[in-house]
PDB file of all heavy atoms in Angstrom:
ATOM      1  N   LEU S   3       0.834  -1.251  -0.030  1.00 90.00           N
ATOM      2  CA  LEU S   3       0.062   0.023  -0.031  1.00 90.00           C
ATOM      3  C   LEU S   3       0.859   1.327  -0.040  1.00 90.00           C
ATOM      4  O   LEU S   3       0.473   2.251  -0.565  1.00 90.00           O
ATOM      5  CB  LEU S   3      -0.854  -0.031   1.191  1.00 90.00           C
ATOM      6  CG  LEU S   3      -2.135  -0.919   1.136  1.00 90.00           C
ATOM      7  CD1 LEU S   3      -2.984  -0.905   2.444  1.00 90.00           C
ATOM      8  CD2 LEU S   3      -3.031  -0.648   0.006  1.00 90.00           C
ATOM      9  N   HIS S   4       1.972   1.232   0.620  1.00 90.00           N
ATOM     10  CA  HIS S   4       2.825   2.368   0.722  1.00 90.00           C
ATOM     11  C   HIS S   4       3.231   2.827  -0.634  1.00 90.00           C
ATOM     12  O   HIS S   4       3.695   3.948  -0.958  1.00 90.00           O
ATOM     13  CB  HIS S   4       4.098   2.170   1.686  1.00 90.00           C
ATOM     14  CG  HIS S   4       3.807   2.571   3.043  1.00 90.00           C
ATOM     15  ND1 HIS S   4       2.926   1.775   3.946  1.00 90.00           N
ATOM     16  CD2 HIS S   4       4.191   3.702   3.732  1.00 90.00           C
ATOM     17  CE1 HIS S   4       2.864   2.396   5.070  1.00 90.00           C
ATOM     18  NE2 HIS S   4       3.658   3.476   5.069  1.00 90.00           N
ATOM     19  N   GLU S   5       3.372   1.927  -1.639  1.00 90.00           N
ATOM     20  CA  GLU S   5       3.733   2.260  -2.827  1.00 90.00           C
ATOM     21  C   GLU S   5       2.710   3.076  -3.668  1.00 90.00           C
ATOM     22  O   GLU S   5       2.933   3.738  -4.588  1.00 90.00           O
ATOM     23  CB  GLU S   5       3.962   0.952  -3.727  1.00 90.00           C
ATOM     24  CG  GLU S   5       4.995   0.029  -3.235  1.00 90.00           C
ATOM     25  CD  GLU S   5       5.097  -1.198  -3.991  1.00 90.00           C
ATOM     26  OE1 GLU S   5       4.339  -1.449  -5.035  1.00 90.00           O
ATOM     27  OE2 GLU S   5       5.999  -2.212  -3.658  1.00 90.00           O
ATOM     28  N   LEU S   6       1.477   3.049  -3.166  1.00 93.00           N
ATOM     29  CA  LEU S   6       0.310   3.741  -3.743  1.00 93.00           C
ATOM     30  C   LEU S   6       0.024   5.136  -3.129  1.00 93.00           C
ATOM     31  O   LEU S   6      -0.955   5.706  -3.311  1.00 93.00           O
ATOM     32  CB  LEU S   6      -0.832   2.879  -3.778  1.00 93.00           C
ATOM     33  CG  LEU S   6      -0.766   1.525  -4.554  1.00 93.00           C
ATOM     34  CD1 LEU S   6      -2.000   0.741  -4.409  1.00 93.00           C
ATOM     35  CD2 LEU S   6      -0.302   1.676  -5.960  1.00 93.00           C
ATOM     36  N   GLY S   7       0.777   5.394  -2.109  1.00 93.00           N
ATOM     37  CA  GLY S   7       0.442   6.714  -1.269  1.00 93.00           C
ATOM     38  C   GLY S   7       1.621   7.362  -0.804  1.00 93.00           C
ATOM     39  O   GLY S   7       2.807   6.787  -0.838  1.00 93.00           O
ATOM     40  N   HIS S   8       1.554   8.660  -0.398  1.00 92.00           N
ATOM     41  CA  HIS S   8       2.639   9.377   0.179  1.00 92.00           C
ATOM     42  C   HIS S   8       2.632   9.266   1.689  1.00 92.00           C
ATOM     43  O   HIS S   8       2.121  10.126   2.453  1.00 92.00           O
ATOM     44  CB  HIS S   8       2.513  10.912  -0.278  1.00 92.00           C
ATOM     45  CG  HIS S   8       2.639  11.086  -1.744  1.00 92.00           C
ATOM     46  ND1 HIS S   8       3.577  10.763  -2.488  1.00 92.00           N
ATOM     47  CD2 HIS S   8       1.575  11.588  -2.559  1.00 92.00           C
ATOM     48  CE1 HIS S   8       3.227  11.053  -3.782  1.00 92.00           C
ATOM     49  NE2 HIS S   8       2.011  11.398  -3.844  1.00 92.00           N
ATOM     50  N   PHE S   9       3.062   8.122   2.143  1.00 92.00           N
ATOM     51  CA  PHE S   9       2.947   7.785   3.537  1.00 92.00           C
ATOM     52  C   PHE S   9       4.225   7.833   4.317  1.00 92.00           C
ATOM     53  O   PHE S   9       4.261   7.400   5.496  1.00 92.00           O
ATOM     54  CB  PHE S   9       2.325   6.371   3.719  1.00 92.00           C
ATOM     55  CG  PHE S   9       0.930   6.177   3.146  1.00 92.00           C
ATOM     56  CD1 PHE S   9       0.699   5.385   2.166  1.00 92.00           C
ATOM     57  CD2 PHE S   9      -0.117   7.031   3.622  1.00 92.00           C
ATOM     58  CE1 PHE S   9      -0.596   5.206   1.627  1.00 92.00           C
ATOM     59  CE2 PHE S   9      -1.336   6.840   3.096  1.00 92.00           C
ATOM     60  CZ  PHE S   9      -1.677   6.009   2.128  1.00 92.00           C
ATOM     61  N   GLY S  10       5.265   8.155   3.818  1.00 91.00           N
ATOM     62  CA  GLY S  10       6.570   8.310   4.386  1.00 91.00           C
ATOM     63  C   GLY S  10       7.184   6.923   4.499  1.00 91.00           C
ATOM     64  O   GLY S  10       7.044   6.159   3.722  1.00 91.00           O
ATOM     65  N   ASP S  11       7.971   6.735   5.615  1.00 91.00           N
ATOM     66  CA  ASP S  11       8.765   5.549   5.792  1.00 91.00           C
ATOM     67  C   ASP S  11       7.734   4.365   6.435  1.00 91.00           C
ATOM     68  O   ASP S  11       7.237   4.517   7.485  1.00 91.00           O
ATOM     69  CB  ASP S  11       9.814   5.789   6.997  1.00 91.00           C
ATOM     70  CG  ASP S  11      10.726   4.703   7.018  1.00 91.00           C
ATOM     71  OD1 ASP S  11      10.349   3.507   7.032  1.00 91.00           O
ATOM     72  OD2 ASP S  11      12.052   4.973   7.224  1.00 91.00           O
ATOM     73  N   ALA S  12       7.559   3.494   5.525  1.00 88.00           N
ATOM     74  CA  ALA S  12       6.746   2.406   5.957  1.00 88.00           C
ATOM     75  C   ALA S  12       7.164   1.654   7.226  1.00 88.00           C
ATOM     76  O   ALA S  12       6.265   1.288   8.048  1.00 88.00           O
ATOM     77  CB  ALA S  12       6.674   1.259   4.811  1.00 88.00           C
ATOM     78  N   ALA S  13       8.477   1.405   7.432  1.00 88.00           N
ATOM     79  CA  ALA S  13       8.920   0.720   8.609  1.00 88.00           C
ATOM     80  C   ALA S  13       8.649   1.493   9.853  1.00 88.00           C
ATOM     81  O   ALA S  13       8.232   0.900  10.885  1.00 88.00           O
ATOM     82  CB  ALA S  13      10.396   0.495   8.482  1.00 88.00           C
ATOM     83  N   VAL S  14       8.981   2.902   9.734  1.00 92.00           N
ATOM     84  CA  VAL S  14       8.693   3.712  10.909  1.00 92.00           C
ATOM     85  C   VAL S  14       7.066   3.736  11.317  1.00 92.00           C
ATOM     86  O   VAL S  14       6.735   3.560  12.487  1.00 92.00           O
ATOM     87  CB  VAL S  14       9.096   5.090  10.701  1.00 92.00           C
ATOM     88  CG1 VAL S  14       8.695   6.079  11.712  1.00 92.00           C
ATOM     89  CG2 VAL S  14      10.637   5.239  10.510  1.00 92.00           C
ATOM     90  N   ASN S  15       6.268   3.814  10.253  1.00 91.00           N
ATOM     91  CA  ASN S  15       4.985   3.802  10.552  1.00 91.00           C
ATOM     92  C   ASN S  15       4.364   2.576  11.057  1.00 91.00           C
ATOM     93  O   ASN S  15       3.541   2.456  12.063  1.00 91.00           O
ATOM     94  CB  ASN S  15       4.229   4.011   9.180  1.00 91.00           C
ATOM     95  CG  ASN S  15       4.449   5.425   8.596  1.00 91.00           C
ATOM     96  OD1 ASN S  15       4.692   6.330   9.286  1.00 91.00           O
ATOM     97  ND2 ASN S  15       4.286   5.571   7.268  1.00 91.00           N
ATOM     98  N   ALA S  16       4.967   1.456  10.538  1.00 91.00           N
ATOM     99  CA  ALA S  16       4.563   0.120  11.213  1.00 91.00           C
ATOM    100  C   ALA S  16       4.976  -0.030  12.613  1.00 91.00           C
ATOM    101  O   ALA S  16       4.222  -0.596  13.411  1.00 91.00           O
ATOM    102  CB  ALA S  16       5.225  -1.001  10.270  1.00 91.00           C
ATOM    103  N   GLN S  17       6.157   0.396  12.950  1.00 91.00           N
ATOM    104  CA  GLN S  17       6.623   0.370  14.284  1.00 91.00           C
ATOM    105  C   GLN S  17       5.713   1.212  15.225  1.00 91.00           C
ATOM    106  O   GLN S  17       5.432   0.698  16.256  1.00 91.00           O
ATOM    107  CB  GLN S  17       8.035   0.763  14.395  1.00 91.00           C
ATOM    108  CG  GLN S  17       9.118  -0.107  13.867  1.00 91.00           C
ATOM    109  CD  GLN S  17      10.357   0.430  13.613  1.00 91.00           C
ATOM    110  OE1 GLN S  17      10.718   1.570  14.159  1.00 91.00           O
ATOM    111  NE2 GLN S  17      11.382  -0.236  12.928  1.00 91.00           N
ATOM    112  N   ALA S  18       5.323   2.361  14.811  1.00 92.00           N
ATOM    113  CA  ALA S  18       4.488   3.158  15.589  1.00 92.00           C
ATOM    114  C   ALA S  18       3.111   2.524  15.762  1.00 92.00           C
ATOM    115  O   ALA S  18       2.522   2.536  16.897  1.00 92.00           O
ATOM    116  CB  ALA S  18       4.237   4.495  14.975  1.00 92.00           C
ATOM    117  N   ALA S  19       2.528   1.964  14.689  1.00 91.00           N
ATOM    118  CA  ALA S  19       1.277   1.254  14.830  1.00 91.00           C
ATOM    119  C   ALA S  19       1.353   0.054  15.739  1.00 91.00           C
ATOM    120  O   ALA S  19       0.450  -0.277  16.625  1.00 91.00           O
ATOM    121  CB  ALA S  19       0.817   0.885  13.395  1.00 91.00           C
ATOM    122  N   LEU S  20       2.414  -0.742  15.582  1.00 92.00           N
ATOM    123  CA  LEU S  20       2.590  -2.019  16.462  1.00 92.00           C
ATOM    124  C   LEU S  20       2.731  -1.553  17.894  1.00 92.00           C
ATOM    125  O   LEU S  20       2.159  -2.193  18.755  1.00 92.00           O
ATOM    126  CB  LEU S  20       3.729  -2.808  15.971  1.00 92.00           C
ATOM    127  CG  LEU S  20       3.684  -3.470  14.636  1.00 92.00           C
ATOM    128  CD1 LEU S  20       5.055  -3.924  14.145  1.00 92.00           C
ATOM    129  CD2 LEU S  20       2.785  -4.596  14.687  1.00 92.00           C
ATOM    130  N   ALA S  21       3.441  -0.481  18.165  1.00 91.00           N
ATOM    131  CA  ALA S  21       3.614  -0.070  19.497  1.00 91.00           C
ATOM    132  C   ALA S  21       2.224   0.424  20.159  1.00 91.00           C
ATOM    133  O   ALA S  21       2.030   0.031  21.365  1.00 91.00           O
ATOM    134  CB  ALA S  21       4.650   1.118  19.644  1.00 91.00           C
ATOM    135  N   ALA S  22       1.415   1.065  19.429  1.00 91.00           N
ATOM    136  CA  ALA S  22       0.158   1.487  19.788  1.00 91.00           C
ATOM    137  C   ALA S  22      -0.752   0.238  20.158  1.00 91.00           C
ATOM    138  O   ALA S  22      -1.497   0.289  21.193  1.00 91.00           O
ATOM    139  CB  ALA S  22      -0.537   2.367  18.642  1.00 91.00           C
ATOM    140  N   VAL S  23      -0.747  -0.641  19.291  1.00 91.00           N
ATOM    141  CA  VAL S  23      -1.549  -1.983  19.490  1.00 91.00           C
ATOM    142  C   VAL S  23      -1.111  -2.659  20.736  1.00 91.00           C
ATOM    143  O   VAL S  23      -1.871  -3.073  21.602  1.00 91.00           O
ATOM    144  CB  VAL S  23      -1.623  -2.855  18.301  1.00 91.00           C
ATOM    145  CG1 VAL S  23      -2.394  -4.038  18.594  1.00 91.00           C
ATOM    146  CG2 VAL S  23      -2.185  -2.057  17.055  1.00 91.00           C
ATOM    147  N   ASP S  24       0.235  -2.768  20.887  1.00 90.00           N
ATOM    148  CA  ASP S  24       0.781  -3.548  22.054  1.00 90.00           C
ATOM    149  C   ASP S  24       0.412  -2.831  23.267  1.00 90.00           C
ATOM    150  O   ASP S  24       0.045  -3.478  24.304  1.00 90.00           O
ATOM    151  CB  ASP S  24       2.389  -3.555  21.810  1.00 90.00           C
ATOM    152  CG  ASP S  24       2.997  -4.733  22.666  1.00 90.00           C
ATOM    153  OD1 ASP S  24       2.306  -5.678  22.813  1.00 90.00           O
ATOM    154  OD2 ASP S  24       4.124  -4.609  23.132  1.00 90.00           O
ATOM    155  N   HIS S  25       0.505  -1.480  23.225  1.00 89.00           N
ATOM    156  CA  HIS S  25      -0.001  -0.850  24.508  1.00 89.00           C
ATOM    157  C   HIS S  25      -1.373  -1.004  24.841  1.00 89.00           C
ATOM    158  O   HIS S  25      -1.767  -1.247  25.936  1.00 89.00           O
ATOM    159  CB  HIS S  25       0.198   0.734  24.300  1.00 89.00           C
ATOM    160  CG  HIS S  25      -0.166   1.504  25.426  1.00 89.00           C
ATOM    161  ND1 HIS S  25       0.539   1.761  26.537  1.00 89.00           N
ATOM    162  CD2 HIS S  25      -1.249   2.306  25.620  1.00 89.00           C
ATOM    163  CE1 HIS S  25      -0.122   2.496  27.423  1.00 89.00           C
ATOM    164  NE2 HIS S  25      -1.187   2.894  26.804  1.00 89.00           N
ATOM    165  N   ALA S  26      -2.245  -0.961  23.804  1.00 88.00           N
ATOM    166  CA  ALA S  26      -3.613  -1.203  23.923  1.00 88.00           C
ATOM    167  C   ALA S  26      -4.053  -2.632  24.559  1.00 88.00           C
ATOM    168  O   ALA S  26      -4.800  -2.762  25.407  1.00 88.00           O
ATOM    169  CB  ALA S  26      -4.449  -0.974  22.788  1.00 88.00           C
ATOM    170  N   VAL S  27      -3.221  -3.682  24.072  1.00 89.00           N
ATOM    171  CA  VAL S  27      -3.425  -5.082  24.458  1.00 89.00           C
ATOM    172  C   VAL S  27      -2.942  -5.242  25.840  1.00 89.00           C
ATOM    173  O   VAL S  27      -3.714  -5.848  26.624  1.00 89.00           O
ATOM    174  CB  VAL S  27      -2.662  -5.985  23.493  1.00 89.00           C
ATOM    175  CG1 VAL S  27      -2.651  -7.370  24.055  1.00 89.00           C
ATOM    176  CG2 VAL S  27      -3.326  -6.034  22.106  1.00 89.00           C
ATOM    177  N   LEU S  28      -1.884  -4.548  26.230  1.00 87.00           N
ATOM    178  CA  LEU S  28      -1.345  -4.776  27.578  1.00 87.00           C
ATOM    179  C   LEU S  28      -2.344  -4.081  28.560  1.00 87.00           C
ATOM    180  O   LEU S  28      -2.599  -4.523  29.706  1.00 87.00           O
ATOM    181  CB  LEU S  28       0.040  -4.014  27.778  1.00 87.00           C
ATOM    182  CG  LEU S  28       1.169  -4.869  27.087  1.00 87.00           C
ATOM    183  CD1 LEU S  28       2.424  -4.063  27.141  1.00 87.00           C
ATOM    184  CD2 LEU S  28       1.324  -6.287  27.830  1.00 87.00           C
ATOM    185  N   ALA S  29      -3.002  -2.910  28.183  1.00 85.00           N
ATOM    186  CA  ALA S  29      -3.912  -2.210  28.931  1.00 85.00           C
ATOM    187  C   ALA S  29      -5.133  -2.887  29.219  1.00 85.00           C
ATOM    188  O   ALA S  29      -5.821  -2.852  30.266  1.00 85.00           O
ATOM    189  CB  ALA S  29      -4.185  -0.805  28.359  1.00 85.00           C
ATOM    190  N   SER S  30      -5.639  -3.637  28.224  1.00 83.00           N
ATOM    191  CA  SER S  30      -6.956  -4.283  28.261  1.00 83.00           C
ATOM    192  C   SER S  30      -6.929  -5.839  28.626  1.00 83.00           C
ATOM    193  O   SER S  30      -7.751  -6.311  29.257  1.00 83.00           O
ATOM    194  CB  SER S  30      -7.681  -4.109  26.888  1.00 83.00           C
ATOM    195  OG  SER S  30      -6.968  -4.814  25.929  1.00 83.00           O
ATOM    196  N   ALA S  31      -5.838  -6.517  28.178  1.00 82.00           N
ATOM    197  CA  ALA S  31      -5.733  -7.881  28.373  1.00 82.00           C
ATOM    198  C   ALA S  31      -4.650  -8.336  29.222  1.00 82.00           C
ATOM    199  O   ALA S  31      -4.451  -9.473  29.619  1.00 82.00           O
ATOM    200  CB  ALA S  31      -5.655  -8.582  27.041  1.00 82.00           C
ATOM    201  N   GLY S  32      -3.691  -7.501  29.533  1.00 80.00           N
ATOM    202  CA  GLY S  32      -2.472  -7.862  30.398  1.00 80.00           C
ATOM    203  C   GLY S  32      -1.512  -8.676  29.697  1.00 80.00           C
ATOM    204  O   GLY S  32      -1.433  -8.668  28.464  1.00 80.00           O
ATOM    205  N   GLU S  33      -0.743  -9.358  30.459  1.00 78.00           N
ATOM    206  CA  GLU S  33       0.388 -10.236  29.817  1.00 78.00           C
ATOM    207  C   GLU S  33      -0.074 -11.583  29.304  1.00 78.00           C
ATOM    208  O   GLU S  33       0.219 -12.596  29.773  1.00 78.00           O
ATOM    209  CB  GLU S  33       1.483 -10.442  30.905  1.00 78.00           C
ATOM    210  CG  GLU S  33       2.121  -9.200  31.295  1.00 78.00           C
ATOM    211  CD  GLU S  33       3.118  -8.626  30.338  1.00 78.00           C
ATOM    212  OE1 GLU S  33       3.456  -9.344  29.432  1.00 78.00           O
ATOM    213  OE2 GLU S  33       3.753  -7.513  30.537  1.00 78.00           O
ATOM    214  N   VAL S  34      -1.040 -11.419  28.391  1.00 82.00           N
ATOM    215  CA  VAL S  34      -1.572 -12.642  27.895  1.00 82.00           C
ATOM    216  C   VAL S  34      -0.535 -13.397  26.872  1.00 82.00           C
ATOM    217  O   VAL S  34       0.279 -12.492  26.245  1.00 82.00           O
ATOM    218  CB  VAL S  34      -2.903 -12.579  27.083  1.00 82.00           C
ATOM    219  CG1 VAL S  34      -4.069 -12.128  28.167  1.00 82.00           C
ATOM    220  CG2 VAL S  34      -2.738 -11.435  26.148  1.00 82.00           C
ATOM    221  N   GLN S  35      -0.493 -14.630  26.719  1.00 85.00           N
ATOM    222  CA  GLN S  35       0.376 -15.263  25.869  1.00 85.00           C
ATOM    223  C   GLN S  35      -0.202 -16.242  24.950  1.00 85.00           C
ATOM    224  O   GLN S  35      -1.467 -16.612  25.059  1.00 85.00           O
ATOM    225  CB  GLN S  35       1.506 -16.115  26.788  1.00 85.00           C
ATOM    226  CG  GLN S  35       2.253 -15.121  27.702  1.00 85.00           C
ATOM    227  CD  GLN S  35       3.112 -14.119  26.908  1.00 85.00           C
ATOM    228  OE1 GLN S  35       3.629 -14.324  25.820  1.00 85.00           O
ATOM    229  NE2 GLN S  35       3.262 -12.956  27.497  1.00 85.00           N
ATOM    230  N   GLY S  36       0.530 -16.781  23.969  1.00 88.00           N
ATOM    231  CA  GLY S  36      -0.027 -17.798  22.983  1.00 88.00           C
ATOM    232  C   GLY S  36      -1.233 -17.289  22.233  1.00 88.00           C
ATOM    233  O   GLY S  36      -1.294 -16.127  21.686  1.00 88.00           O
ATOM    234  N   LEU S  37      -2.167 -18.156  22.035  1.00 90.00           N
ATOM    235  CA  LEU S  37      -3.387 -17.955  21.223  1.00 90.00           C
ATOM    236  C   LEU S  37      -4.170 -16.774  21.836  1.00 90.00           C
ATOM    237  O   LEU S  37      -4.905 -16.030  21.180  1.00 90.00           O
ATOM    238  CB  LEU S  37      -4.257 -19.138  21.028  1.00 90.00           C
ATOM    239  CG  LEU S  37      -3.620 -20.162  20.170  1.00 90.00           C
ATOM    240  CD1 LEU S  37      -4.574 -21.501  20.218  1.00 90.00           C
ATOM    241  CD2 LEU S  37      -3.528 -19.553  18.732  1.00 90.00           C
ATOM    242  N   ALA S  38      -4.237 -16.683  23.276  1.00 90.00           N
ATOM    243  CA  ALA S  38      -4.925 -15.616  23.904  1.00 90.00           C
ATOM    244  C   ALA S  38      -4.297 -14.118  23.425  1.00 90.00           C
ATOM    245  O   ALA S  38      -5.139 -13.265  23.360  1.00 90.00           O
ATOM    246  CB  ALA S  38      -4.924 -15.757  25.389  1.00 90.00           C
ATOM    247  N   ARG S  39      -2.974 -14.149  23.366  1.00 91.00           N
ATOM    248  CA  ARG S  39      -2.469 -12.924  22.894  1.00 91.00           C
ATOM    249  C   ARG S  39      -2.867 -12.631  21.386  1.00 91.00           C
ATOM    250  O   ARG S  39      -3.036 -11.459  21.059  1.00 91.00           O
ATOM    251  CB  ARG S  39      -0.888 -13.120  23.058  1.00 91.00           C
ATOM    252  CG  ARG S  39      -0.181 -11.772  22.506  1.00 91.00           C
ATOM    253  CD  ARG S  39       1.344 -11.861  22.823  1.00 91.00           C
ATOM    254  NE  ARG S  39       2.157 -10.802  22.205  1.00 91.00           N
ATOM    255  CZ  ARG S  39       2.205  -9.584  22.641  1.00 91.00           C
ATOM    256  NH1 ARG S  39       1.592  -9.262  23.869  1.00 91.00           N
ATOM    257  NH2 ARG S  39       2.921  -8.654  22.098  1.00 91.00           N
ATOM    258  N   SER S  40      -2.887 -13.665  20.531  1.00 93.00           N
ATOM    259  CA  SER S  40      -3.189 -13.495  19.120  1.00 93.00           C
ATOM    260  C   SER S  40      -4.669 -12.891  19.133  1.00 93.00           C
ATOM    261  O   SER S  40      -4.960 -11.975  18.318  1.00 93.00           O
ATOM    262  CB  SER S  40      -3.120 -14.791  18.417  1.00 93.00           C
ATOM    263  OG  SER S  40      -1.770 -15.227  18.413  1.00 93.00           O
ATOM    264  N   LEU S  41      -5.466 -13.438  19.892  1.00 93.00           N
ATOM    265  CA  LEU S  41      -6.959 -13.048  19.783  1.00 93.00           C
ATOM    266  C   LEU S  41      -7.099 -11.564  20.462  1.00 93.00           C
ATOM    267  O   LEU S  41      -7.840 -10.881  19.999  1.00 93.00           O
ATOM    268  CB  LEU S  41      -7.735 -14.016  20.601  1.00 93.00           C
ATOM    269  CG  LEU S  41      -9.334 -13.872  20.404  1.00 93.00           C
ATOM    270  CD1 LEU S  41      -9.738 -13.836  18.977  1.00 93.00           C
ATOM    271  CD2 LEU S  41     -10.022 -14.904  21.270  1.00 93.00           C
TER     272      LEU S  41
END
């Protein structure tokens, strides 16, 4: 998708997005592991 838009550095954007999701998962589900973490 980054090839079709002016979105800047794909890796940097991905890292920011992953960090945001990880923070939300820790806040709502705690230190879940395995399939529970995937879900």
Side-chain angles (χ1 to χ4, degrees):
L3 284 176
H4 269 72
E5 300 174 2
L6 304 179
H8 304 293
F9 297 119
D11 191 319
V14 171
N15 297 333
Q17 290 168 7
L20 290 168
V23 181
D24 202 29
H25 176 77
V27 169
L28 289 173
S30 62
E33 294 284 354
V34 290
Q35 299 298 325
L37 287 174
R39 177 175 173 80
S40 297
L41 189 55

